[in-house]
Amino acid sequence: MQTLQYKITHRFFPTRTFLFSRRVIDDPFCDECGLVESLGHCFFECHRVKVFWTELFGKLNCKLSRRNNVDLTLRNVLFGMPGKLAVVNLIILAGKQFIANQRRREGSIKYAGCYAFLGKIFGIKKEIAFKNEKLQLLCKKWEPFLSADVTLSI
């Protein structure tokens, strides 16, 4: 996921516009909607991902206190939100990774699929925290998104 964020931050992610400018493909248009596929379009503006982000941000805001609510903006999706809970930025990054994976596979971009992906990420983090005897710290970080049995609940 760090590699993905690096590519986004440095505008090196292979969108259709990026590939077209390097003569790798014949046109810069999104396969889904026909608009020019820029970085913003790929991760935020395309109707395929806009519905996904709307649902994810809605669920995040239901779990967070008002002072920690997140705004659904292009900037927040692409670059994260300094000053917010680190776990929120991790969830957004996981959402971007999910979108990139699904676009590569031509799969559906739906919240349910991302939830399963987040569950895997949390499971790995939970196992590492348990082995390092830091499960309480992990639970504190993820607290708004955990159920009573320490499973992910977004």
Side-chain angles (χ1 to χ4, degrees):
M1 288 192 304
Q2 291 173 338
T3 302
L4 173 67
Q5 189 59 49
Y6 180 87
K7 288 178 179 181
I8 290 171
T9 301
H10 295 283
R11 307 280 197 265
F12 198 66
F13 184 80
T15 62
R16 291 191 62 86
T17 300
F18 178 86
L19 296 172
F20 178 71
S21 71
R22 283 152 181 80
R23 303 182 198 280
V24 174
I25 58 174
D26 294 333
D27 67 73
F29 303 109
C30 174
D31 291 332
E32 185 68 26
C33 65
L35 296 173
V36 173
E37 188 187 86
S38 64
L39 193 58
H41 180 82
C42 181
F43 285 103
F44 185 75
E45 295 161 351
C46 184
H47 67 86
R48 187 176 174 197
V49 296
K50 191 71 163 185
V51 171
F52 163 78
W53 286 120
T54 300
E55 187 173 359
L56 179 62
F57 272 61
K59 291 192 183 289
L60 288 174
N61 284 331
C62 283
K63 297 285 186 172
L64 295 168
S65 64
R66 286 198 185 275
R67 69 181 174 84
N68 284 319
N69 273 3
V70 291
D71 296 323
L72 179 58
T73 66
L74 174 63
R75 181 180 176 87
N76 288 347
V77 167
L78 289 183
F79 304 111
M81 294 170 282
K84 291 290 181 183
L85 297 171
V87 70
V88 171
N89 284 315
L90 176 63
I91 291 169
I92 293 169
L93 181 56
K96 290 182 284 194
Q97 185 66 62
F98 176 74
I99 290 168
N101 293 349
Q102 293 302 96
R103 291 179 78 87
R104 192 171 32 250
R105 295 181 192 129
E106 297 181 16
S108 64
I109 299 173
K110 298 194 186 290
Y111 172 76
C114 184
Y115 182 75
F117 182 65
L118 278 169
K120 289 178 186 176
I121 291 169
F122 179 73
I124 292 167
K125 289 193 167 291
K126 186 176 168 183
E127 192 173 313
I128 292 168
F130 181 77
K131 285 181 181 177
N132 293 329
E133 299 179 5
K134 294 186 178 182
L135 191 57
Q136 284 184 324
L137 181 60
L138 176 81
C139 290
K140 186 176 179 183
K141 287 180 182 179
W142 284 78
E143 182 180 12
F145 309 109
L146 296 179
S147 62
D149 62 347
V150 193
T151 57
L152 196 60
S153 172
I154 298 179

